[in-house]
Coordinates of all heavy atoms in Angstrom, one line a residue:
M8 N 94.8 -10.4 -14.8 CA 96.1 -10.8 -15.4 C 96.6 -12.0 -14.7 O 97.1 -12.9 -15.3 CB 97.1 -9.6 -15.3 CG 98.3 -9.9 -16.1 SD 97.9 -10.0 -17.8 CE 99.4 -9.4 -18.5
K9 N 96.5 -12.0 -13.3 CA 97.0 -13.2 -12.6 C 96.2 -14.4 -13.0 O 96.7 -15.5 -13.1 CB 96.9 -12.9 -11.1 CG 97.4 -14.0 -10.3 CD 97.4 -13.7 -8.8 CE 98.0 -14.8 -8.0 NZ 97.9 -14.6 -6.5
S10 N 94.9 -14.3 -13.1 CA 94.0 -15.4 -13.5 C 94.4 -16.0 -14.9 O 94.3 -17.2 -15.1 CB 92.6 -15.1 -13.4 OG 92.2 -14.1 -14.4
N11 N 94.8 -15.1 -15.8 CA 95.2 -15.6 -17.1 C 96.5 -16.5 -17.0 O 96.6 -17.5 -17.7 CB 95.5 -14.4 -18.0 CG 94.2 -13.8 -18.6 OD1 93.2 -14.3 -18.5 ND2 94.4 -12.6 -19.1
K12 N 97.4 -16.1 -16.2 CA 98.6 -16.9 -16.0 C 98.3 -18.2 -15.4 O 98.8 -19.3 -15.8 CB 99.6 -16.2 -15.1 CG 100.3 -15.0 -15.7 CD 101.2 -14.3 -14.8 CE 101.8 -13.0 -15.5 NZ 102.8 -12.4 -14.6
I13 N 97.4 -18.3 -14.4 CA 96.9 -19.5 -13.8 C 96.2 -20.4 -14.9 O 96.5 -21.6 -14.9 CB 96.0 -19.3 -12.6 CG1 96.8 -18.6 -11.5 CG2 95.4 -20.5 -12.1 CD1 96.0 -18.0 -10.4
I14 N 95.4 -19.8 -15.7 CA 94.7 -20.6 -16.7 C 95.7 -21.1 -17.7 O 95.6 -22.3 -18.1 CB 93.6 -19.7 -17.4 CG1 92.5 -19.4 -16.4 CG2 93.1 -20.4 -18.6 CD1 91.6 -18.3 -16.9
I15 N 96.6 -20.3 -18.1 CA 97.6 -20.8 -19.1 C 98.4 -21.9 -18.5 O 98.7 -22.9 -19.2 CB 98.5 -19.6 -19.6 CG1 97.6 -18.7 -20.5 CG2 99.7 -20.2 -20.4 CD1 98.3 -17.4 -20.9
A16 N 98.8 -21.8 -17.3 CA 99.6 -22.9 -16.6 C 98.8 -24.1 -16.5 O 99.3 -25.2 -16.8 CB 100.0 -22.4 -15.2
A17 N 97.5 -24.0 -16.2 CA 96.6 -25.2 -16.1 C 96.5 -25.9 -17.5 O 96.5 -27.1 -17.6 CB 95.3 -24.8 -15.6
V18 N 96.3 -25.1 -18.5 CA 96.2 -25.6 -19.9 C 97.5 -26.3 -20.3 O 97.4 -27.4 -20.8 CB 95.9 -24.5 -20.9 CG1 96.0 -24.9 -22.3 CG2 94.5 -23.9 -20.6
L19 N 98.6 -25.7 -20.0 CA 99.9 -26.3 -20.4 C 100.1 -27.6 -19.6 O 100.6 -28.6 -20.2 CB 101.0 -25.4 -20.2 CG 101.1 -24.2 -21.1 CD1 102.2 -23.2 -20.7 CD2 101.3 -24.6 -22.5
A20 N 99.7 -27.6 -18.3 CA 99.9 -28.9 -17.5 C 99.0 -30.0 -18.1 O 99.5 -31.1 -18.2 CB 99.5 -28.6 -16.1
G21 N 97.8 -29.6 -18.6 CA 96.9 -30.6 -19.2 C 97.5 -31.1 -20.5 O 97.3 -32.3 -20.9
F22 N 98.2 -30.2 -21.2 CA 98.7 -30.6 -22.5 C 99.8 -31.7 -22.4 O 100.0 -32.6 -23.2 CB 99.3 -29.4 -23.2 CG 98.3 -28.5 -23.8 CD1 98.6 -27.1 -23.9 CD2 97.0 -28.9 -24.1 CE1 97.7 -26.2 -24.4 CE2 96.1 -28.0 -24.5 CZ 96.4 -26.6 -24.7
F23 N 100.6 -31.6 -21.3 CA 101.7 -32.6 -21.1 C 101.1 -33.9 -20.6 O 101.9 -34.9 -20.7 CB 102.7 -32.0 -20.1 CG 103.6 -31.0 -20.6 CD1 103.4 -29.7 -20.2 CD2 104.5 -31.3 -21.6 CE1 104.2 -28.7 -20.8 CE2 105.3 -30.3 -22.2 CZ 105.2 -29.0 -21.7
S24 N 99.9 -34.0 -20.1 CA 99.4 -35.2 -19.6 C 98.8 -36.2 -20.6 O 98.5 -37.3 -20.3 CB 98.4 -34.9 -18.5 OG 97.2 -34.3 -19.0
V25 N 98.6 -35.7 -21.8 CA 98.0 -36.6 -22.8 C 99.0 -37.5 -23.4 O 100.2 -37.1 -23.6 CB 97.4 -35.7 -24.0 CG1 96.8 -36.5 -25.1 CG2 96.3 -34.8 -23.4
N26 N 98.6 -38.7 -23.7 CA 99.5 -39.7 -24.3 C 99.9 -39.4 -25.7 O 99.8 -38.3 -26.1 CB 98.9 -41.1 -24.2 CG 98.8 -41.6 -22.7 OD1 99.6 -41.1 -21.9 ND2 97.9 -42.5 -22.4
A27 N 100.2 -40.4 -26.4 CA 100.8 -40.3 -27.8 C 99.8 -39.6 -28.7 O 98.7 -39.9 -28.8 CB 101.1 -41.7 -28.4
M28 N 100.3 -38.6 -29.5 CA 99.6 -37.9 -30.5 C 100.5 -37.9 -31.7 O 101.6 -38.3 -31.7 CB 99.4 -36.4 -30.1 CG 98.6 -36.2 -28.9 SD 96.9 -36.5 -29.3 CE 96.2 -36.9 -27.7
A29 N 99.9 -37.5 -32.8 CA 100.6 -37.5 -34.1 C 101.8 -36.5 -34.0 O 102.9 -36.8 -34.3 CB 99.7 -37.3 -35.2
A30 N 101.4 -35.3 -33.6 CA 102.4 -34.2 -33.5 C 102.8 -34.0 -32.0 O 101.9 -34.2 -31.2 CB 101.9 -32.9 -34.1
D31 N 104.0 -33.8 -31.8 CA 104.5 -33.6 -30.4 C 104.6 -32.2 -30.0 O 105.0 -31.3 -30.7 CB 105.9 -34.3 -30.2 CG 105.9 -35.8 -30.4 OD1 104.9 -36.4 -30.0 OD2 106.9 -36.3 -31.0
L32 N 104.2 -31.9 -28.7 CA 104.3 -30.6 -28.1 C 105.8 -30.4 -27.7 O 106.4 -31.2 -27.1 CB 103.4 -30.5 -26.9 CG 103.5 -29.2 -26.1 CD1 103.0 -28.0 -26.9 CD2 102.7 -29.4 -24.8
I33 N 106.4 -29.3 -28.2 CA 107.8 -28.9 -27.8 C 107.8 -27.5 -27.4 O 106.8 -26.8 -27.4 CB 108.7 -29.1 -29.0 CG1 108.3 -28.2 -30.2 CG2 108.8 -30.6 -29.4 CD1 109.3 -28.2 -31.3
T34 N 108.9 -27.1 -26.9 CA 109.1 -25.7 -26.4 C 109.6 -24.8 -27.6 O 110.1 -25.3 -28.6 CB 110.1 -25.5 -25.3 OG1 111.4 -25.9 -25.8 CG2 109.7 -26.4 -24.1
K35 N 109.4 -23.5 -27.5 CA 109.8 -22.6 -28.5 C 111.3 -22.7 -28.7 O 111.9 -22.6 -29.8 CB 109.4 -21.2 -28.2 CG 109.6 -20.2 -29.2 CD 109.0 -18.8 -28.9 CE 109.0 -17.9 -30.0 NZ 108.4 -16.6 -29.7
E36 N 112.0 -22.8 -27.5 CA 113.5 -22.9 -27.5 C 114.0 -24.1 -28.3 O 114.9 -24.1 -29.0 CB 114.0 -22.9 -26.1 CG 113.8 -21.6 -25.4 CD 112.4 -21.4 -24.9 OE1 111.6 -22.3 -24.7 OE2 112.1 -20.2 -24.6
E37 N 113.3 -25.2 -28.1 CA 113.7 -26.5 -28.8 C 113.5 -26.3 -30.3 O 114.3 -26.8 -31.1 CB 112.8 -27.7 -28.3 CG 113.2 -29.0 -28.8 CD 112.4 -30.1 -28.3 OE1 111.6 -30.0 -27.4 OE2 112.7 -31.3 -28.8
A38 N 112.4 -25.7 -30.7 CA 112.2 -25.5 -32.1 C 113.3 -24.6 -32.7 O 113.7 -24.9 -33.8 CB 110.8 -24.8 -32.3
K39 N 113.7 -23.6 -32.0 CA 114.7 -22.7 -32.5 C 116.1 -23.4 -32.5 O 116.8 -23.4 -33.5 CB 114.8 -21.5 -31.6 CG 115.8 -20.4 -32.1 CD 115.7 -19.2 -31.3 CE 116.7 -18.2 -31.8 NZ 116.7 -16.9 -31.0
E40 N 116.4 -24.1 -31.4 CA 117.7 -24.8 -31.3 C 117.9 -25.9 -32.4 O 119.0 -26.0 -33.0 CB 117.8 -25.5 -30.0 CG 118.1 -24.6 -28.8 CD 118.1 -25.3 -27.5 OE1 118.0 -26.6 -27.5 OE2 118.1 -24.6 -26.5
K41 N 116.8 -26.6 -32.7 CA 116.9 -27.7 -33.7 C 116.6 -27.2 -35.1 O 116.7 -28.0 -36.1 CB 116.0 -28.8 -33.3 CG 116.4 -29.4 -32.0 CD 115.7 -30.7 -31.7 CE 116.3 -31.3 -30.4 NZ 115.8 -32.6 -30.1
G42 N 116.3 -26.0 -35.3 CA 116.1 -25.4 -36.6 C 114.9 -25.9 -37.3 O 114.9 -26.0 -38.6
Y43 N 113.9 -26.3 -36.6 CA 112.6 -26.7 -37.3 C 112.0 -25.6 -38.2 O 112.1 -24.5 -37.8 CB 111.6 -27.2 -36.3 CG 112.1 -28.4 -35.5 CD1 111.7 -28.6 -34.1 CD2 112.8 -29.5 -36.1 CE1 112.1 -29.7 -33.4 CE2 113.1 -30.6 -35.3 CZ 112.8 -30.7 -34.0 OH 113.2 -31.8 -33.3
T44 N 111.4 -26.0 -39.2 CA 110.8 -25.1 -40.2 C 109.3 -24.9 -39.8 O 108.6 -25.9 -39.6 CB 110.8 -25.7 -41.6 OG1 112.2 -25.9 -41.9 CG2 110.2 -24.7 -42.6
S45 N 108.9 -23.6 -39.7 CA 107.5 -23.3 -39.3 C 106.6 -23.6 -40.5 O 106.9 -23.2 -41.6 CB 107.4 -21.9 -38.9 OG 106.1 -21.5 -38.6
L46 N 105.5 -24.2 -40.2 CA 104.5 -24.4 -41.3 C 103.2 -23.5 -41.1 O 102.3 -23.6 -41.9 CB 104.0 -25.9 -41.2 CG 105.1 -26.9 -41.5 CD1 104.5 -28.3 -41.3 CD2 105.7 -26.7 -42.9
G47 N 103.3 -22.7 -40.1 CA 102.1 -21.8 -39.9 C 101.5 -22.0 -38.5 O 102.1 -22.6 -37.6
V48 N 100.3 -21.5 -38.3 CA 99.6 -21.5 -37.0 C 98.3 -22.3 -37.1 O 97.6 -22.2 -38.2 CB 99.4 -20.1 -36.6 CG1 98.6 -20.0 -35.3 CG2 100.7 -19.4 -36.4
V49 N 97.9 -23.0 -36.1 CA 96.6 -23.6 -36.0 C 95.9 -23.1 -34.7 O 96.6 -22.8 -33.7 CB 96.7 -25.1 -36.0 CG1 97.2 -25.6 -37.3 CG2 97.6 -25.7 -34.9
T50 N 94.6 -23.1 -34.7 CA 93.8 -22.7 -33.5 C 92.7 -23.7 -33.3 O 92.0 -24.1 -34.2 CB 93.2 -21.3 -33.8 OG1 94.3 -20.4 -34.0 CG2 92.5 -20.8 -32.6
T51 N 92.5 -24.0 -32.0 CA 91.4 -24.9 -31.6 C 90.0 -24.2 -32.0 O 89.9 -23.0 -32.1 CB 91.4 -25.3 -30.2 OG1 91.2 -24.1 -29.4 CG2 92.7 -26.0 -29.8
S52 N 89.0 -25.1 -32.0 CA 87.7 -24.6 -32.3 C 86.9 -24.0 -31.1 O 85.8 -23.6 -31.3 CB 86.8 -25.7 -33.0 OG 86.8 -26.8 -32.0
N53 N 87.5 -24.0 -30.0 CA 86.9 -23.4 -28.7 C 85.7 -24.2 -28.3 O 84.7 -23.6 -27.8 CB 86.6 -21.9 -29.0 CG 86.3 -21.2 -27.7 OD1 86.8 -21.6 -26.6 ND2 85.6 -20.1 -27.7
E54 N 85.7 -25.5 -28.5 CA 84.6 -26.4 -28.1 C 84.9 -27.1 -26.8 O 84.0 -27.9 -26.4 CB 84.3 -27.4 -29.2 CG 83.9 -26.7 -30.5 CD 83.6 -27.8 -31.6 OE1 83.7 -29.0 -31.3 OE2 83.3 -27.4 -32.7
Y55 N 86.0 -27.0 -26.2 CA 86.4 -27.9 -25.1 C 86.5 -27.2 -23.8 O 86.7 -26.0 -23.7 CB 87.8 -28.4 -25.4 CG 87.8 -29.1 -26.8 CD1 88.5 -28.5 -27.9 CD2 87.2 -30.3 -27.0 CE1 88.5 -29.2 -29.1 CE2 87.2 -30.9 -28.2 CZ 87.8 -30.4 -29.3 OH 87.8 -31.0 -30.5
T56 N 86.2 -28.0 -22.8 CA 86.4 -27.5 -21.4 C 87.6 -28.1 -20.7 O 87.9 -27.7 -19.6 CB 85.1 -27.8 -20.6 OG1 84.8 -29.2 -20.6 CG2 83.9 -27.0 -21.1
A57 N 88.1 -29.1 -21.3 CA 89.3 -29.8 -20.7 C 90.6 -29.5 -21.5 O 90.5 -29.5 -22.7 CB 89.1 -31.3 -20.7
P58 N 91.7 -29.1 -20.8 CA 92.9 -28.8 -21.5 C 93.4 -29.9 -22.4 O 93.9 -29.7 -23.5 CB 93.9 -28.5 -20.4 CG 93.1 -28.1 -19.2 CD 91.8 -28.9 -19.4
M59 N 93.2 -31.2 -22.0 CA 93.8 -32.3 -22.8 C 93.0 -32.4 -24.1 O 93.5 -32.8 -25.1 CB 93.8 -33.6 -22.0 CG 92.4 -34.1 -21.6 SD 92.5 -35.6 -20.7 CE 93.0 -35.0 -19.1
D60 N 91.7 -32.0 -24.1 CA 90.9 -32.1 -25.4 C 91.4 -31.0 -26.4 O 91.5 -31.3 -27.5 CB 89.5 -31.9 -25.1 CG 88.8 -33.0 -24.3 OD1 89.4 -34.1 -24.4 OD2 87.8 -32.8 -23.6
A61 N 91.7 -29.8 -25.8 CA 92.3 -28.8 -26.7 C 93.6 -29.2 -27.2 O 93.9 -29.0 -28.4 CB 92.4 -27.5 -25.9
R62 N 94.5 -29.8 -26.4 CA 95.8 -30.2 -26.9 C 95.7 -31.3 -27.9 O 96.4 -31.3 -28.9 CB 96.6 -30.8 -25.7 CG 98.0 -31.2 -26.1 CD 98.6 -32.3 -25.2 NE 99.9 -32.6 -25.6 CZ 100.3 -33.5 -26.5 NH1 99.4 -34.1 -27.2 NH2 101.6 -33.7 -26.7
E63 N 94.7 -32.2 -27.8 CA 94.5 -33.3 -28.7 C 94.1 -32.7 -30.1 O 94.6 -33.1 -31.1 CB 93.4 -34.2 -28.2 CG 93.2 -35.4 -29.1 CD 92.2 -36.4 -28.5 OE1 92.1 -36.5 -27.3 OE2 91.4 -37.0 -29.3
E64 N 93.2 -31.6 -30.1 CA 92.8 -31.0 -31.3 C 94.0 -30.3 -32.0 O 94.2 -30.3 -33.2 CB 91.7 -30.0 -31.1 CG 91.3 -29.4 -32.4 CD 90.1 -28.4 -32.3 OE1 89.6 -28.1 -31.2 OE2 89.7 -27.9 -33.4
L65 N 94.9 -29.6 -31.2 CA 96.1 -28.9 -31.7 C 97.0 -30.0 -32.4 O 97.5 -29.7 -33.5 CB 96.8 -28.2 -30.6 CG 96.2 -26.9 -30.1 CD1 97.0 -26.3 -28.9 CD2 96.1 -25.9 -31.2
A66 N 97.2 -31.1 -31.7 CA 98.0 -32.1 -32.3 C 97.4 -32.7 -33.6 O 98.2 -32.8 -34.6 CB 98.2 -33.3 -31.3
K67 N 96.1 -32.8 -33.7 CA 95.5 -33.3 -34.9 C 95.6 -32.3 -36.0 O 95.9 -32.6 -37.1 CB 94.0 -33.6 -34.6 CG 93.2 -34.1 -35.8 CD 91.8 -34.3 -35.5 CE 91.0 -34.6 -36.8 NZ 89.6 -34.5 -36.6
L68 N 95.4 -31.0 -35.7 CA 95.5 -29.9 -36.7 C 96.9 -29.8 -37.2 O 97.2 -29.6 -38.4 CB 95.0 -28.6 -36.1 CG 93.5 -28.5 -35.8 CD1 93.2 -27.3 -34.9 CD2 92.7 -28.6 -37.1
A69 N 97.9 -29.9 -36.3 CA 99.3 -29.9 -36.7 C 99.6 -31.0 -37.6 O 100.3 -30.8 -38.6 CB 100.2 -29.9 -35.4
D70 N 99.1 -32.2 -37.3 CA 99.4 -33.4 -38.2 C 98.8 -33.1 -39.5 O 99.4 -33.4 -40.6 CB 98.8 -34.6 -37.5 CG 99.2 -35.9 -38.2 OD1 100.4 -36.1 -38.5 OD2 98.3 -36.7 -38.5
E71 N 97.5 -32.6 -39.6 CA 96.9 -32.4 -40.9 C 97.6 -31.3 -41.7 O 97.6 -31.4 -42.9 CB 95.4 -31.9 -40.6 CG 94.5 -33.0 -40.1 CD 93.2 -32.4 -39.7 OE1 92.9 -31.2 -39.8 OE2 92.4 -33.2 -39.2
K72 N 98.3 -30.4 -41.0 CA 99.1 -29.4 -41.7 C 100.5 -29.9 -42.2 O 101.2 -29.2 -42.8 CB 99.3 -28.2 -40.8 CG 99.6 -26.9 -41.5 CD 99.5 -25.8 -40.5 CE 99.6 -24.5 -41.1 NZ 98.4 -23.9 -41.7
G73 N 100.8 -31.2 -41.8 CA 102.0 -31.8 -42.2 C 103.1 -31.6 -41.2 O 104.3 -31.9 -41.5
G74 N 102.8 -31.2 -40.0 CA 103.8 -30.9 -38.9 C 104.1 -32.1 -38.1 O 103.2 -33.0 -37.9
K75 N 105.3 -32.2 -37.5 CA 105.6 -33.2 -36.5 C 105.6 -32.7 -35.1 O 105.6 -33.4 -34.2 CB 107.0 -33.8 -36.9 CG 107.1 -34.5 -38.1 CD 108.5 -35.1 -38.3 CE 108.5 -36.0 -39.6 NZ 109.8 -36.7 -39.8
Y76 N 105.7 -31.3 -35.0 CA 105.8 -30.7 -33.7 C 104.9 -29.4 -33.7 O 104.6 -28.9 -34.7 CB 107.2 -30.3 -33.4 CG 108.2 -31.3 -33.7 CD1 109.0 -31.4 -34.9 CD2 108.4 -32.4 -32.8 CE1 109.9 -32.4 -35.1 CE2 109.4 -33.4 -33.0 CZ 110.1 -33.4 -34.2 OH 111.0 -34.4 -34.4
F77 N 104.6 -29.0 -32.4 CA 103.9 -27.8 -32.3 C 104.2 -27.1 -31.0 O 104.6 -27.8 -30.0 CB 102.3 -27.9 -32.4 CG 101.7 -28.7 -31.4 CD1 101.0 -28.1 -30.3 CD2 101.6 -30.1 -31.5 CE1 100.4 -28.9 -29.3 CE2 101.0 -30.9 -30.5 CZ 100.4 -30.2 -29.4
V78 N 104.2 -25.8 -31.0 CA 104.5 -25.0 -29.8 C 103.3 -24.1 -29.5 O 102.8 -23.4 -30.4 CB 105.7 -24.0 -30.1 CG1 105.9 -23.1 -28.9 CG2 106.9 -24.8 -30.4
I79 N 102.8 -24.2 -28.3 CA 101.6 -23.4 -27.9 C 102.1 -22.0 -27.7 O 103.0 -21.7 -27.0 CB 101.0 -23.9 -26.6 CG1 100.5 -25.4 -26.8 CG2 99.9 -23.0 -26.1 CD1 100.1 -26.1 -25.5
I80 N 101.4 -21.1 -28.4 CA 101.8 -19.7 -28.4 C 100.7 -18.8 -27.7 O 101.0 -17.7 -27.3 CB 102.1 -19.1 -29.8 CG1 100.9 -19.3 -30.7 CG2 103.4 -19.8 -30.3 CD1 101.2 -18.7 -32.1
A81 N 99.5 -19.4 -27.5 CA 98.5 -18.6 -26.8 C 97.4 -19.6 -26.3 O 97.2 -20.6 -26.9 CB 97.8 -17.6 -27.7
A82 N 96.8 -19.3 -25.1 CA 95.7 -20.1 -24.6 C 94.8 -19.1 -23.8 O 95.3 -18.2 -23.1 CB 96.3 -21.2 -23.8
Q83 N 93.5 -19.4 -23.8 CA 92.6 -18.6 -23.0 C 91.4 -19.4 -22.6 O 91.1 -20.4 -23.3 CB 92.2 -17.3 -23.7 CG 91.4 -17.5 -24.9 CD 91.1 -16.2 -25.5 OE1 91.1 -15.1 -24.9 NE2 90.6 -16.2 -26.8
E84 N 90.7 -19.0 -21.6 CA 89.6 -19.7 -21.1 C 88.5 -18.7 -20.8 O 88.6 -17.8 -20.1 CB 89.9 -20.5 -19.8 CG 88.8 -21.4 -19.3 CD 88.0 -20.7 -18.3 OE1 88.5 -19.7 -17.6 OE2 86.8 -21.0 -18.1
K85 N 87.4 -18.9 -21.6 CA 86.2 -18.1 -21.4 C 85.0 -19.1 -21.4 O 84.4 -19.2 -22.4 CB 86.0 -17.0 -22.4 CG 87.0 -15.9 -22.4 CD 86.8 -14.9 -23.4 CE 87.9 -13.8 -23.4 NZ 87.8 -12.8 -24.4
R86 N 84.8 -19.8 -20.3 CA 83.9 -20.9 -20.2 C 84.4 -22.1 -20.9 O 84.1 -23.2 -20.5 CB 82.5 -20.5 -20.6 CG 81.8 -19.6 -19.6 CD 80.4 -19.4 -20.0 NE 80.1 -18.0 -20.0 CZ 79.1 -17.4 -20.6 NH1 78.3 -18.1 -21.3 NH2 79.0 -16.1 -20.5
K87 N 85.0 -21.9 -22.0 CA 85.6 -23.0 -22.8 C 87.1 -22.6 -23.1 O 87.4 -21.4 -23.0 CB 84.9 -23.2 -24.1 CG 83.4 -23.4 -23.9 CD 83.0 -24.6 -24.6 CE 81.5 -24.9 -24.3 NZ 81.0 -26.1 -24.8
I88 N 87.9 -23.6 -23.5 CA 89.3 -23.4 -23.7 C 89.6 -23.2 -25.2 O 89.1 -24.0 -26.0 CB 90.1 -24.6 -23.1 CG1 89.9 -24.6 -21.6 CG2 91.6 -24.5 -23.5 CD1 90.5 -25.8 -20.9
S89 N 90.4 -22.3 -25.5 CA 90.9 -22.2 -26.9 C 92.4 -22.0 -26.8 O 92.9 -21.4 -25.8 CB 90.2 -21.0 -27.6 OG 90.6 -19.8 -27.1
A90 N 93.1 -22.5 -27.8 CA 94.5 -22.3 -27.8 C 95.0 -22.2 -29.2 O 94.3 -22.7 -30.2 CB 95.2 -23.5 -27.1
T91 N 96.2 -21.6 -29.4 CA 96.8 -21.4 -30.7 C 98.2 -22.0 -30.6 O 98.9 -21.8 -29.6 CB 96.8 -19.9 -31.1 OG1 95.5 -19.4 -31.1 CG2 97.5 -19.7 -32.5
A92 N 98.6 -22.6 -31.7 CA 100.0 -23.2 -31.7 C 100.6 -23.0 -33.0 O 100.0 -22.9 -34.1 CB 99.9 -24.7 -31.4
E93 N 102.0 -22.8 -33.0 CA 102.7 -22.8 -34.2 C 103.2 -24.2 -34.5 O 103.6 -24.9 -33.7 CB 103.9 -21.9 -34.0 CG 104.7 -21.7 -35.3 CD 105.8 -20.6 -35.3 OE1 106.0 -20.0 -34.2 OE2 106.4 -20.3 -36.3
V94 N 103.1 -24.6 -35.8 CA 103.4 -25.9 -36.2 C 104.8 -25.9 -36.9 O 105.1 -25.0 -37.7 CB 102.3 -26.4 -37.2 CG1 102.6 -27.8 -37.7 CG2 100.9 -26.4 -36.6
F95 N 105.5 -27.0 -36.6 CA 106.9 -27.1 -37.2 C 107.1 -28.5 -37.8 O 106.4 -29.5 -37.4 CB 107.9 -27.0 -36.1 CG 108.0 -25.6 -35.5 CD1 107.2 -25.2 -34.4 CD2 108.8 -24.6 -36.1 CE1 107.3 -23.9 -33.9 CE2 108.9 -23.3 -35.6 CZ 108.1 -23.0 -34.5
K96 N 108.0 -28.6 -38.8 CA 108.4 -29.9 -39.3 C 109.9 -30.0 -39.2 O 110.6 -29.0 -39.0 CB 108.0 -30.1 -40.7 CG 108.6 -29.2 -41.8 CD 108.2 -29.6 -43.2 CE 109.0 -28.7 -44.2 NZ 108.8 -29.2 -45.5

């Protein structure tokens, strides 16, 4: 359990280090406060070993879904990184 928290923290830290993307990473609280509309969920293809690559894919998938923002709701690492995010507009 402790290793999952460390992995998730590392993934999130990597997500913040990537430059401009089409969709922006925000917090769940920000989405709620600003009243953004949920467009559904996207999940990475589990092909990446670097957190920033997974974040880039989430941003691309969110953009393709018509979203401007996304919130990471799950992340895991089993030799490769996979993540799931809720998309908002």
Side-chain angles (χ1 to χ4, degrees):
M8 190 65 150
K9 183 177 180 182
S10 65
N11 285 343
K12 289 180 182 178
I13 293 170
I14 292 168
I15 290 172
V18 169
L19 292 175
F22 290 155
F23 286 111
S24 67
V25 176
N26 289 339
M28 295 287 157
D31 293 325
L32 177 65
I33 61 171
T34 65
K35 189 174 187 176
E36 292 77 21
E37 184 178 355
K39 186 177 180 180
E40 286 173 9
K41 297 197 177 186
Y43 294 142
T44 303
S45 177
L46 299 176
V48 174
V49 293
T50 302
T51 62
S52 59
N53 196 23
E54 297 179 5
Y55 305 107
T56 55
M59 67 181 77
D60 293 335
R62 182 205 185 274
E63 186 176 325
E64 184 179 1
L65 286 174
K67 179 182 174 192
L68 292 169
D70 188 49
E71 290 172 1
K72 201 168 186 88
K75 292 185 178 184
Y76 312 100
F77 65 98
V78 175
I79 298 169
I80 57 176
Q83 64 179 344
E84 185 265 335
K85 292 182 181 176
R86 289 188 228 159
K87 303 232 177 188
I88 295 170
S89 69
T91 302
E93 185 171 2
V94 180
F95 294 90
K96 67 173 185 172

